[in-house]
Amino acid sequence: MFRNQAIVLMYHRVAEPVNDPWQIMVSPEHFSQQLDVLKRKASVIPLDRLVSDYRRNALKRKSVVLTFDDGYLDNFTTVRPLLEKFDLPATFFITTGKIGTREEFWWDELARLMLQSDELPAQFSLPVGTETIGVETGAEARLTPELKRQNETWTTQEDPPNRRCALFLAIWEKMRATATEAQRSTLGSLRELARFNGPAVSEGPCMSEEQLASLGRHELVRIGAHTVTHPALGEWPEAFQREEILNCRTRLEEITGQTVNHLAYPFGVYNETSTKVAGALGFEAAVTTREKVVDGKSSPLELGRFEVVNWGGEEFEEYLHYWINK
Ligand SMILES: [Zn+2]
């Protein structure tokens, strides 16, 4: 029995994973191996094609769509040449607020400062939104080589192995619910308290306008919206959700000259208002982070995705097989 269904894969970054608690990095070597598996075992199609197949009730098993979230620089420098090499299409969902800036995403800077700072005060208060939270690093104020190693390889799939990791998670949870300005001020305070001796962020963590425009012109690439400031949309009022989605799309269309009618909900957090707004703005497809196949019963504005992590070819092939046959 072959059901009419397809799957969408979710990636973020292709870079050597280090300090990657959320497992959003896949190494270039593993990514190449994964593309090789996809080329042999699946039929990689653009998101537009999945939408049109869905509408004609003609989804094909083994159809796979590749998506990348956020707009990190490596999407341009590393992912694009590998897609070219394997001749596979992909959609890139871009957070426009970071395009052309040198500012890190708040979750990346928080991870860097909490997990890798050589020194943090043993006890300090940190403003997060309307709250001030007491942070105690205690015996972990100074980063020992052992602590550094632990923090470099820890992922949120595992229990926090130490206090710094636990504190990072607790602060992350609170920051996700706050507005951009509040996130900036939290990081500003933390930056002043921390002694971070690691390498500075030399180039923009995200693409420049020129790089995004060039990526958008590529025949294998489509650009989708991922809001301006990456809020957890479903936790905000309708007017704010609309502004975030619309302003993102307007800027993307200006930069790329393409029509943008695909959307990814940041953090996968959305509600009925989000799908209503996306539909009213004319978006044809929107993707979530729920692990679900796309079939005749799916809603085009709530398409599930499967997250790919830093697996080698063989391990990836097992997951792919499992997802395709779900
Ligand atoms: Zn995102």
Side-chain angles (χ1 to χ4, degrees):
M1 260 296 280
F2 292 149
R3 277 179 296 160
N4 291 343
Q5 63 180 41
I7 62 168
V8 183
L9 302 184
M10 172 172 67
Y11 290 91
H12 291 81
R13 306 195 54 185
V14 172
E16 286 303 331
V18 65
N19 297 325
D20 183 26
W22 299 108
Q23 293 187 278
I24 61 172
M25 297 174 169
V26 175
S27 75
E29 191 192 350
H30 283 169
F31 183 62
S32 286
Q33 293 170 5
Q34 294 175 0
L35 292 184
D36 182 55
V37 169
L38 286 165
K39 193 82 193 171
R40 289 185 288 106
K41 301 284 178 175
S43 161
V44 179
I45 59 170
L47 185 51
D48 307 84
R49 178 60 197 293
L50 178 133
V51 173
S52 67
D53 285 356
Y54 167 86
R55 290 211 178 114
R56 293 182 297 116
N57 198 17
L59 288 169
K60 286 178 199 66
R61 209 176 66 100
K62 294 193 181 179
S63 290
V64 177
V65 170
L66 303 181
T67 67
F68 292 81
D69 285 11
D70 297 341
Y72 283 100
L73 177 61
D74 57 57
N75 291 182
F76 177 76
T77 54
T78 312
V79 177
R80 182 193 46 121
L82 288 169
L83 292 175
E84 252 168 29
K85 181 179 162 195
F86 288 90
D87 193 29
L88 295 174
T91 294
F92 293 83
F93 293 105
I94 309 295
T95 302
T96 49
K98 294 292 189 237
I99 293 300
T101 75
R102 289 200 160 194
E103 210 179 40
E104 287 176 274
F105 283 108
W106 67 262
W107 54 84
D108 288 332
E109 186 166 12
L110 180 69
R112 195 163 58 75
L113 293 173
M114 283 307 295
L115 303 178
Q116 298 301 330
S117 287
D118 299 278
E119 209 157 337
L120 283 165
Q123 197 172 15
F124 60 98
S125 349
L126 190 66
V128 186
T130 51
E131 278 182 79
T132 298
I133 56 175
V135 182
E136 282 189 39
T137 59
E140 294 175 17
R142 194 175 281 263
L143 190 74
T144 61
E146 170 56 19
L147 200 54
K148 184 174 160 65
R149 258 194 311 279
Q150 255 179 20
N151 293 357
E152 275 174 355
T153 54
W154 169 66
T155 76
T156 56
Q157 296 290 75
E158 307 145 6
D159 287 334
N162 59 55
R163 188 174 275 225
R164 282 218 202 185
C165 292
L167 288 166
F168 161 75
L169 262 189
I171 299 169
W172 186 94
E173 288 287 347
K174 287 190 187 293
M175 280 184 80
R176 200 187 73 167
T178 65
T180 302
E181 279 316 309
Q183 290 165 344
R184 283 212 176 97
S185 94
T186 301
L187 289 172
S189 306
L190 193 56
R191 219 177 283 139
E192 277 177 20
L193 293 162
R195 197 162 60 76
F196 177 78
N197 289 336
V201 184
S202 54
E203 42 184 355
C206 289
M207 286 180 268
S208 67
E209 279 195 19
E210 294 70 28
Q211 288 163 332
L212 176 58
S214 156
L215 183 69
R217 277 194 297 271
H218 201 286
E219 57 178 7
L220 291 170
V221 170
R222 285 301 306 272
I223 300 297
H226 198 41
T227 74
V228 178
T229 68
H230 207 280
L233 282 176
E235 295 166 7
W236 294 88
E238 177 169 347
F240 182 70
Q241 295 199 32
R242 188 171 190 284
E243 179 187 303
E244 280 282 327
I245 298 171
L246 182 58
N247 291 350
C248 171
R249 178 172 72 185
T250 305
R251 176 110 193 266
L252 287 176
E253 291 187 337
E254 275 167 15
I255 294 173
T256 66
Q258 281 189 8
T259 303
V260 171
N261 49 20
H262 298 149
L263 168 71
Y265 303 112
F267 305 111
V269 178
Y270 70 101
N271 60 7
E272 275 174 29
T273 304
S274 323
T275 53
K276 190 183 90 184
V277 167
L281 290 173
F283 281 88
E284 292 185 351
V287 294
T288 70
T289 55
R290 296 229 177 103
E291 297 215 325
K292 276 163 65 172
V293 300
V294 177
D295 61 22
K297 296 190 295 274
S298 304
S299 155
L301 295 177
E302 294 178 72
L303 301 175
R305 287 191 292 177
F306 296 92
E307 182 167 26
V308 181
V309 302
N310 188 29
W311 295 313
E314 280 178 29
E315 203 177 349
F316 172 71
E317 191 172 334
E318 283 173 28
Y319 277 96
L320 184 69
H321 183 78
Y322 171 68
W323 293 331
I324 283 178
N325 294 295
K326 245 180 173 285

